[in-house]
Amino acid sequence: TKAGVSHAPSEGPMDLLSRLTRERPAIAVRARPVLDAYVALRYAPPDAGPRDQTDLPAFMAMVRHFRVT
């Protein structure tokens, strides 16, 4: 866990965000863009077409710079 934030293996990213919004709203505000980007990359339908090549590197940069304080 980071800063007391953990998630169950069965907890999806939006469920985690909902819980953070209730329990740790300051973290939820900063986590939302990261989780939204993750969902867009991970759960895009297969017929969505080719992704912009900058999507994954941009997401990885967001994750690297994300801090839980």
Side-chain angles (χ1 to χ4, degrees):
T1 68
K2 283 191 168 190
V5 176
S6 62
H7 68 90
S10 62
E11 185 175 42
M14 294 296 99
D15 294 325
L16 173 61
L17 183 59
S18 293
R19 187 168 55 83
L20 286 174
T21 300
R22 289 188 311 275
E23 297 175 7
R24 306 288 297 273
I27 293 173
V29 168
R30 294 190 314 273
R32 177 177 293 282
V34 177
L35 291 171
D36 285 345
Y38 171 78
V39 168
L41 287 168
R42 172 65 178 90
Y43 297 102
D47 61 349
R51 292 188 182 105
D52 179 0
Q53 294 290 19
T54 62
D55 286 350
L56 185 57
F59 171 72
M60 292 171 66
M62 291 172 73
V63 171
R64 270 194 312 276
H65 293 101
F66 182 77
R67 299 288 179 259
V68 177
T69 55

